[in-house]
Amino acid sequence: LVNRMRSISCDEPADVPPGQNTTTDVPEDGYKYFKAKCAGLSGNVIISVKNIVGNTHVFASTTVRNPNPWYDPRLVVRDMSTNQIKSVLVKLPDSNDETVYIAIKGTDKINKFTIVISDDLFGAEEFQVSFDEEEPAGSPITTLLARSREGFTVEYSLSSGSADVAIDRMSGQITSLRPFDRELEASISVTVLATDPNLPCYSGRANLIVNILDINDNPPVFKPANYRATINDSSPVGFTVLTVTATDRDIGRNGQLSFSLSGVGAGDFTIDDDGVVRVASSQLSVDRMAVYDLTATATDNGQTRMRGE
């Protein structure tokens, strides 16, 4: 609902349908007021504001129609804000009047935002789980369960279509729709909804972040692939010949590299874990060997090690 609130007086709170996104704007240092009335299944209501342009402050109360920075802080159970979304959780009163009043204050010259009111059905607004890359499509990732009670039917869905994951409508189990590649995406994020199809007031949402775990699926690669150096046969032991460079797209242990040399005469040189090749023999001689054709191998430290030459 875009600019739905333009015709509302700045002092009269506008009704916000629970569970629905409402997009509007507020001037700098101005306030826009909202109210939502819906019995919370959990006893708590989450107010989430996502800034599209500018910046805002969020105030909430169950007693003050136009809350402000001096509202009763005891009503806010916890601040659930993230970098992208400002959220507060408000405990509903035990009385029959379960109306929540919200004020949004604009702090920039132009402030546009989306507000959504939801029940605290999941007990948190954000969950993070880990999932291995390259797992086949259809692999279970996690299950998000919303609070419910006898007489209520909770159904699960995603806030928008996803090419990454699917959710079982009744169980809340989330499965992958494709293999993930950590080197291309370190994480994915989806919004999970829980609703009672017969009672739209009972609507909760939670953001799920799936962190993609690295597996050792990339071999080390040398750049450049060939190296050449010239030294005197009088070069002392420890003399630096050259440095080779290899990279691995994996991370952690899977990306830690060690080096080795092979080939005829490889014992006349050493190579350390930084790829630095040094003279190891005091017997270098043009007469004994004028040209060395050696192979440098980089090996990662993964459980199943991969090598590159």
Side-chain angles (χ1 to χ4, degrees):
L1 302 175
V2 180
N3 293 331
R4 179 177 180 272
M5 308 305 160
R6 283 190 178 275
S7 61
I8 303 296
S9 166
C10 63
D11 295 323
E12 176 61 28
D15 289 315
V16 179
Q20 296 184 24
N21 290 332
T22 298
T23 300
T24 185
D25 51 39
V26 61
E28 184 177 14
D29 293 327
Y31 286 84
K32 185 147 287 186
Y33 298 103
F34 306 90
K35 63 180 178 180
K37 184 171 183 178
C38 188
L41 182 63
S42 66
N44 298 320
V45 168
I46 298 174
I47 303 159
S48 299
V49 175
K50 182 177 181 180
N51 291 319
I52 300 173
V53 179
N55 193 27
T56 57
H57 292 315
V58 183
F59 308 101
S61 174
T62 56
T63 58
V64 179
R65 294 178 63 86
N66 299 145
N68 53 50
W70 298 277
Y71 74 106
D72 187 350
R74 292 172 298 175
L75 297 174
V76 177
V77 179
R78 64 181 183 270
D79 188 330
M80 307 169 65
S81 300
T82 65
N83 290 336
Q84 293 78 30
I85 299 177
K86 296 181 178 180
S87 298
V88 291
L89 184 145
V90 177
K91 183 175 179 60
L92 293 173
D94 295 329
S95 64
N96 293 327
D97 184 11
E98 295 173 322
T99 302
V100 178
Y101 299 99
I102 307 111
I104 310 297
K105 179 183 179 182
T107 61
D108 291 353
K109 289 185 177 180
I110 300 176
N111 306 280
K112 186 176 182 179
F113 61 91
T114 295
I115 183 171
V116 62
I117 313 297
S118 58
D119 200 335
D120 185 30
L121 293 182
F122 289 99
E125 195 178 21
E126 182 175 284
F127 296 87
Q128 293 200 31
V129 298
S130 299
F131 186 68
D132 285 338
E133 65 173 330
E134 302 301 340
E135 287 292 313
S139 297
I141 298 175
T142 191
T143 298
L144 290 189
L145 292 178
R147 303 175 188 180
S148 185
R149 63 176 69 155
E150 186 176 356
F152 291 86
T153 301
V154 175
E155 294 186 1
Y156 300 92
S157 61
L158 301 177
S159 64
S160 59
S162 173
D164 301 318
V165 300
I167 189 168
D168 184 89
R169 182 171 61 91
M170 302 307 297
S171 71
Q173 184 183 62
I174 297 170
T175 56
S176 62
L177 290 177
R178 60 180 177 85
F180 301 123
D181 187 346
R182 190 212 60 82
E183 286 72 40
L184 298 179
E185 50 192 348
S187 66
I188 62 170
S189 177
V190 294
T191 299
V192 179
L193 305 179
T195 58
D196 186 321
N198 300 313
L199 298 167
C201 273
Y202 298 106
S203 175
R205 62 174 56 202
N207 190 44
L208 175 66
I209 297 176
V210 181
N211 296 307
I212 310 303
L213 298 180
D214 185 61
I215 65 171
N216 198 18
D217 58 345
N218 291 282
V221 176
F222 281 92
K223 293 181 180 181
N226 297 289
Y227 293 81
R228 183 182 297 271
T230 301
I231 62 172
N232 295 323
D233 59 5
S234 59
S235 298
V237 173
F239 179 81
T240 299
V241 179
L242 53 76
T243 300
V244 299
T245 301
T247 58
D248 193 313
R249 296 180 66 198
D250 295 314
I251 60 174
R253 291 186 56 183
N254 297 332
Q256 296 173 354
L257 303 181
S258 59
F259 295 87
S260 61
L261 294 173
S262 61
V264 178
D268 291 344
F269 303 91
T270 62
I271 185 170
D272 62 21
D273 288 345
D274 293 322
V276 180
V277 179
R278 295 183 174 91
V279 174
S281 172
S282 60
Q283 305 299 318
L284 297 182
S285 170
V286 173
D287 296 331
R288 186 168 69 88
M289 184 170 291
V291 177
Y292 290 84
D293 188 3
L294 306 179
T295 298
T297 301
T299 305
D300 64 33
N301 197 33
Q303 185 173 2
T304 303
R305 297 190 174 188
M306 301 188 76
R307 296 175 172 82
E309 298 180 347

mmCIF file with all atom_site columns, all heavy atoms in Angstrom, residues 258-274:
data_model
loop_
_atom_site.group_PDB
_atom_site.id
_atom_site.type_symbol
_atom_site.label_atom_id
_atom_site.label_alt_id
_atom_site.label_comp_id
_atom_site.label_asym_id
_atom_site.label_entity_id
_atom_site.label_seq_id
_atom_site.pdbx_PDB_ins_code
_atom_site.Cartn_x
_atom_site.Cartn_y
_atom_site.Cartn_z
_atom_site.occupancy
_atom_site.B_iso_or_equiv
_atom_site.pdbx_formal_charge
_atom_site.auth_seq_id
_atom_site.auth_comp_id
_atom_site.auth_asym_id
_atom_site.auth_atom_id
_atom_site.pdbx_PDB_model_num
ATOM 1   N N   . SER A 1 258 ? 50.475 -25.431 1.409   1.00 0.00 ? 258 SER A N   1
ATOM 2   C CA  . SER A 1 258 ? 51.888 -25.748 1.637   1.00 0.00 ? 258 SER A CA  1
ATOM 3   C C   . SER A 1 258 ? 52.494 -26.109 0.287   1.00 0.00 ? 258 SER A C   1
ATOM 4   O O   . SER A 1 258 ? 51.785 -26.513 -0.641  1.00 0.00 ? 258 SER A O   1
ATOM 5   C CB  . SER A 1 258 ? 52.042 -26.901 2.634   1.00 0.00 ? 258 SER A CB  1
ATOM 6   O OG  . SER A 1 258 ? 51.388 -28.071 2.159   1.00 0.00 ? 258 SER A OG  1
ATOM 7   N N   . PHE A 1 259 ? 53.821 -25.953 0.176   1.00 0.00 ? 259 PHE A N   1
ATOM 8   C CA  . PHE A 1 259 ? 54.489 -26.132 -1.111  1.00 0.00 ? 259 PHE A CA  1
ATOM 9   C C   . PHE A 1 259 ? 55.564 -27.202 -1.015  1.00 0.00 ? 259 PHE A C   1
ATOM 10  O O   . PHE A 1 259 ? 56.147 -27.440 0.053   1.00 0.00 ? 259 PHE A O   1
ATOM 11  C CB  . PHE A 1 259 ? 55.126 -24.816 -1.574  1.00 0.00 ? 259 PHE A CB  1
ATOM 12  C CG  . PHE A 1 259 ? 54.131 -23.722 -1.863  1.00 0.00 ? 259 PHE A CG  1
ATOM 13  C CD1 . PHE A 1 259 ? 53.689 -22.871 -0.853  1.00 0.00 ? 259 PHE A CD1 1
ATOM 14  C CD2 . PHE A 1 259 ? 53.629 -23.545 -3.144  1.00 0.00 ? 259 PHE A CD2 1
ATOM 15  C CE1 . PHE A 1 259 ? 52.798 -21.862 -1.114  1.00 0.00 ? 259 PHE A CE1 1
ATOM 16  C CE2 . PHE A 1 259 ? 52.718 -22.536 -3.412  1.00 0.00 ? 259 PHE A CE2 1
ATOM 17  C CZ  . PHE A 1 259 ? 52.299 -21.690 -2.390  1.00 0.00 ? 259 PHE A CZ  1
ATOM 18  N N   . SER A 1 260 ? 55.826 -27.819 -2.143  1.00 0.00 ? 260 SER A N   1
ATOM 19  C CA  . SER A 1 260 ? 56.922 -28.784 -2.241  1.00 0.00 ? 260 SER A CA  1
ATOM 20  C C   . SER A 1 260 ? 57.519 -28.702 -3.638  1.00 0.00 ? 260 SER A C   1
ATOM 21  O O   . SER A 1 260 ? 56.889 -28.182 -4.576  1.00 0.00 ? 260 SER A O   1
ATOM 22  C CB  . SER A 1 260 ? 56.431 -30.206 -1.951  1.00 0.00 ? 260 SER A CB  1
ATOM 23  O OG  . SER A 1 260 ? 55.438 -30.592 -2.900  1.00 0.00 ? 260 SER A OG  1
ATOM 24  N N   . LEU A 1 261 ? 58.766 -29.202 -3.774  1.00 0.00 ? 261 LEU A N   1
ATOM 25  C CA  . LEU A 1 261 ? 59.466 -29.240 -5.063  1.00 0.00 ? 261 LEU A CA  1
ATOM 26  C C   . LEU A 1 261 ? 59.754 -30.676 -5.440  1.00 0.00 ? 261 LEU A C   1
ATOM 27  O O   . LEU A 1 261 ? 60.045 -31.521 -4.580  1.00 0.00 ? 261 LEU A O   1
ATOM 28  C CB  . LEU A 1 261 ? 60.775 -28.453 -4.984  1.00 0.00 ? 261 LEU A CB  1
ATOM 29  C CG  . LEU A 1 261 ? 60.664 -26.937 -4.772  1.00 0.00 ? 261 LEU A CG  1
ATOM 30  C CD1 . LEU A 1 261 ? 62.050 -26.350 -4.545  1.00 0.00 ? 261 LEU A CD1 1
ATOM 31  C CD2 . LEU A 1 261 ? 59.985 -26.273 -5.963  1.00 0.00 ? 261 LEU A CD2 1
ATOM 32  N N   . SER A 1 262 ? 59.681 -30.980 -6.721  1.00 0.00 ? 262 SER A N   1
ATOM 33  C CA  . SER A 1 262 ? 60.020 -32.305 -7.225  1.00 0.00 ? 262 SER A CA  1
ATOM 34  C C   . SER A 1 262 ? 60.757 -32.167 -8.549  1.00 0.00 ? 262 SER A C   1
ATOM 35  O O   . SER A 1 262 ? 60.700 -31.118 -9.202  1.00 0.00 ? 262 SER A O   1
ATOM 36  C CB  . SER A 1 262 ? 58.756 -33.167 -7.394  1.00 0.00 ? 262 SER A CB  1
ATOM 37  O OG  . SER A 1 262 ? 57.863 -32.572 -8.324  1.00 0.00 ? 262 SER A OG  1
ATOM 38  N N   . GLY A 1 263 ? 61.436 -33.227 -8.929  1.00 0.00 ? 263 GLY A N   1
ATOM 39  C CA  . GLY A 1 263 ? 62.215 -33.214 -10.159 1.00 0.00 ? 263 GLY A CA  1
ATOM 40  C C   . GLY A 1 263 ? 63.679 -33.497 -9.864  1.00 0.00 ? 263 GLY A C   1
ATOM 41  O O   . GLY A 1 263 ? 64.120 -33.493 -8.701  1.00 0.00 ? 263 GLY A O   1
ATOM 42  N N   . VAL A 1 264 ? 64.446 -33.738 -10.897 1.00 0.00 ? 264 VAL A N   1
ATOM 43  C CA  . VAL A 1 264 ? 65.871 -34.036 -10.747 1.00 0.00 ? 264 VAL A CA  1
ATOM 44  C C   . VAL A 1 264 ? 66.588 -32.825 -10.154 1.00 0.00 ? 264 VAL A C   1
ATOM 45  O O   . VAL A 1 264 ? 66.492 -31.714 -10.659 1.00 0.00 ? 264 VAL A O   1
ATOM 46  C CB  . VAL A 1 264 ? 66.499 -34.410 -12.103 1.00 0.00 ? 264 VAL A CB  1
ATOM 47  C CG1 . VAL A 1 264 ? 68.003 -34.662 -11.937 1.00 0.00 ? 264 VAL A CG1 1
ATOM 48  C CG2 . VAL A 1 264 ? 65.820 -35.636 -12.691 1.00 0.00 ? 264 VAL A CG2 1
ATOM 49  N N   . GLY A 1 265 ? 67.265 -33.052 -9.034  1.00 0.00 ? 265 GLY A N   1
ATOM 50  C CA  . GLY A 1 265 ? 67.999 -31.968 -8.377  1.00 0.00 ? 265 GLY A CA  1
ATOM 51  C C   . GLY A 1 265 ? 67.163 -31.144 -7.433  1.00 0.00 ? 265 GLY A C   1
ATOM 52  O O   . GLY A 1 265 ? 67.632 -30.112 -6.930  1.00 0.00 ? 265 GLY A O   1
ATOM 53  N N   . ALA A 1 266 ? 65.922 -31.580 -7.135  1.00 0.00 ? 266 ALA A N   1
ATOM 54  C CA  . ALA A 1 266 ? 65.047 -30.794 -6.259  1.00 0.00 ? 266 ALA A CA  1
ATOM 55  C C   . ALA A 1 266 ? 65.639 -30.636 -4.865  1.00 0.00 ? 266 ALA A C   1
ATOM 56  O O   . ALA A 1 266 ? 65.363 -29.648 -4.182  1.00 0.00 ? 266 ALA A O   1
ATOM 57  C CB  . ALA A 1 266 ? 63.665 -31.448 -6.169  1.00 0.00 ? 266 ALA A CB  1
ATOM 58  N N   . GLY A 1 267 ? 66.474 -31.580 -4.451  1.00 0.00 ? 267 GLY A N   1
ATOM 59  C CA  . GLY A 1 267 ? 67.086 -31.509 -3.132  1.00 0.00 ? 267 GLY A CA  1
ATOM 60  C C   . GLY A 1 267 ? 68.063 -30.362 -2.969  1.00 0.00 ? 267 GLY A C   1
ATOM 61  O O   . GLY A 1 267 ? 68.460 -30.040 -1.835  1.00 0.00 ? 267 GLY A O   1
ATOM 62  N N   . ASP A 1 268 ? 68.477 -29.727 -4.065  1.00 0.00 ? 268 ASP A N   1
ATOM 63  C CA  . ASP A 1 268 ? 69.395 -28.590 -3.986  1.00 0.00 ? 268 ASP A CA  1
ATOM 64  C C   . ASP A 1 268 ? 68.682 -27.298 -3.578  1.00 0.00 ? 268 ASP A C   1
ATOM 65  O O   . ASP A 1 268 ? 69.343 -26.272 -3.381  1.00 0.00 ? 268 ASP A O   1
ATOM 66  C CB  . ASP A 1 268 ? 70.095 -28.372 -5.332  1.00 0.00 ? 268 ASP A CB  1
ATOM 67  C CG  . ASP A 1 268 ? 71.085 -29.489 -5.651  1.00 0.00 ? 268 ASP A CG  1
ATOM 68  O OD1 . ASP A 1 268 ? 71.445 -30.233 -4.719  1.00 0.00 ? 268 ASP A OD1 1
ATOM 69  O OD2 . ASP A 1 268 ? 71.478 -29.603 -6.833  1.00 0.00 ? 268 ASP A OD2 1
ATOM 70  N N   . PHE A 1 269 ? 67.346 -27.371 -3.444  1.00 0.00 ? 269 PHE A N   1
ATOM 71  C CA  . PHE A 1 269 ? 66.569 -26.177 -3.124  1.00 0.00 ? 269 PHE A CA  1
ATOM 72  C C   . PHE A 1 269 ? 65.495 -26.518 -2.083  1.00 0.00 ? 269 PHE A C   1
ATOM 73  O O   . PHE A 1 269 ? 65.111 -27.685 -1.907  1.00 0.00 ? 269 PHE A O   1
ATOM 74  C CB  . PHE A 1 269 ? 65.902 -25.601 -4.384  1.00 0.00 ? 269 PHE A CB  1
ATOM 75  C CG  . PHE A 1 269 ? 66.872 -25.270 -5.473  1.00 0.00 ? 269 PHE A CG  1
ATOM 76  C CD1 . PHE A 1 269 ? 67.196 -26.208 -6.450  1.00 0.00 ? 269 PHE A CD1 1
ATOM 77  C CD2 . PHE A 1 269 ? 67.471 -24.014 -5.522  1.00 0.00 ? 269 PHE A CD2 1
ATOM 78  C CE1 . PHE A 1 269 ? 68.103 -25.896 -7.459  1.00 0.00 ? 269 PHE A CE1 1
ATOM 79  C CE2 . PHE A 1 269 ? 68.365 -23.700 -6.527  1.00 0.00 ? 269 PHE A CE2 1
ATOM 80  C CZ  . PHE A 1 269 ? 68.689 -24.643 -7.486  1.00 0.00 ? 269 PHE A CZ  1
ATOM 81  N N   . THR A 1 270 ? 65.047 -25.506 -1.400  1.00 0.00 ? 270 THR A N   1
ATOM 82  C CA  . THR A 1 270 ? 63.903 -25.651 -0.489  1.00 0.00 ? 270 THR A CA  1
ATOM 83  C C   . THR A 1 270 ? 62.820 -24.667 -0.898  1.00 0.00 ? 270 THR A C   1
ATOM 84  O O   . THR A 1 270 ? 63.078 -23.671 -1.589  1.00 0.00 ? 270 THR A O   1
ATOM 85  C CB  . THR A 1 270 ? 64.299 -25.354 0.971   1.00 0.00 ? 270 THR A CB  1
ATOM 86  O OG1 . THR A 1 270 ? 64.756 -23.992 1.073   1.00 0.00 ? 270 THR A OG1 1
ATOM 87  C CG2 . THR A 1 270 ? 65.376 -26.318 1.447   1.00 0.00 ? 270 THR A CG2 1
ATOM 88  N N   . ILE A 1 271 ? 61.604 -24.948 -0.447  1.00 0.00 ? 271 ILE A N   1
ATOM 89  C CA  . ILE A 1 271 ? 60.490 -24.019 -0.655  1.00 0.00 ? 271 ILE A CA  1
ATOM 90  C C   . ILE A 1 271 ? 59.679 -23.982 0.637   1.00 0.00 ? 271 ILE A C   1
ATOM 91  O O   . ILE A 1 271 ? 59.371 -25.017 1.226   1.00 0.00 ? 271 ILE A O   1
ATOM 92  C CB  . ILE A 1 271 ? 59.620 -24.438 -1.868  1.00 0.00 ? 271 ILE A CB  1
ATOM 93  C CG1 . ILE A 1 271 ? 58.537 -23.372 -2.137  1.00 0.00 ? 271 ILE A CG1 1
ATOM 94  C CG2 . ILE A 1 271 ? 59.016 -25.814 -1.688  1.00 0.00 ? 271 ILE A CG2 1
ATOM 95  C CD1 . ILE A 1 271 ? 57.792 -23.578 -3.456  1.00 0.00 ? 271 ILE A CD1 1
ATOM 96  N N   . ASP A 1 272 ? 59.354 -22.801 1.120   1.00 0.00 ? 272 ASP A N   1
ATOM 97  C CA  . ASP A 1 272 ? 58.600 -22.696 2.371   1.00 0.00 ? 272 ASP A CA  1
ATOM 98  C C   . ASP A 1 272 ? 57.113 -22.501 2.077   1.00 0.00 ? 272 ASP A C   1
ATOM 99  O O   . ASP A 1 272 ? 56.675 -22.493 0.914   1.00 0.00 ? 272 ASP A O   1
ATOM 100 C CB  . ASP A 1 272 ? 59.153 -21.581 3.255   1.00 0.00 ? 272 ASP A CB  1
ATOM 101 C CG  . ASP A 1 272 ? 59.049 -20.197 2.618   1.00 0.00 ? 272 ASP A CG  1
ATOM 102 O OD1 . ASP A 1 272 ? 58.228 -20.008 1.691   1.00 0.00 ? 272 ASP A OD1 1
ATOM 103 O OD2 . ASP A 1 272 ? 59.786 -19.278 3.054   1.00 0.00 ? 272 ASP A OD2 1
ATOM 104 N N   . ASP A 1 273 ? 56.310 -22.335 3.159   1.00 0.00 ? 273 ASP A N   1
ATOM 105 C CA  . ASP A 1 273 ? 54.859 -22.235 2.996   1.00 0.00 ? 273 ASP A CA  1
ATOM 106 C C   . ASP A 1 273 ? 54.415 -20.922 2.366   1.00 0.00 ? 273 ASP A C   1
ATOM 107 O O   . ASP A 1 273 ? 53.242 -20.761 2.032   1.00 0.00 ? 273 ASP A O   1
ATOM 108 C CB  . ASP A 1 273 ? 54.173 -22.404 4.353   1.00 0.00 ? 273 ASP A CB  1
ATOM 109 C CG  . ASP A 1 273 ? 54.230 -23.843 4.853   1.00 0.00 ? 273 ASP A CG  1
ATOM 110 O OD1 . ASP A 1 273 ? 54.527 -24.729 4.038   1.00 0.00 ? 273 ASP A OD1 1
ATOM 111 O OD2 . ASP A 1 273 ? 53.991 -24.061 6.056   1.00 0.00 ? 273 ASP A OD2 1
ATOM 112 N N   . ASP A 1 274 ? 55.356 -19.985 2.212   1.00 0.00 ? 274 ASP A N   1
ATOM 113 C CA  . ASP A 1 274 ? 55.053 -18.742 1.509   1.00 0.00 ? 274 ASP A CA  1
ATOM 114 C C   . ASP A 1 274 ? 55.443 -18.815 0.039   1.00 0.00 ? 274 ASP A C   1
ATOM 115 O O   . ASP A 1 274 ? 55.322 -17.817 -0.679  1.00 0.00 ? 274 ASP A O   1
ATOM 116 C CB  . ASP A 1 274 ? 55.770 -17.570 2.177   1.00 0.00 ? 274 ASP A CB  1
ATOM 117 C CG  . ASP A 1 274 ? 55.232 -17.294 3.572   1.00 0.00 ? 274 ASP A CG  1
ATOM 118 O OD1 . ASP A 1 274 ? 54.001 -17.407 3.765   1.00 0.00 ? 274 ASP A OD1 1
ATOM 119 O OD2 . ASP A 1 274 ? 56.030 -16.982 4.472   1.00 0.00 ? 274 ASP A OD2 1
#
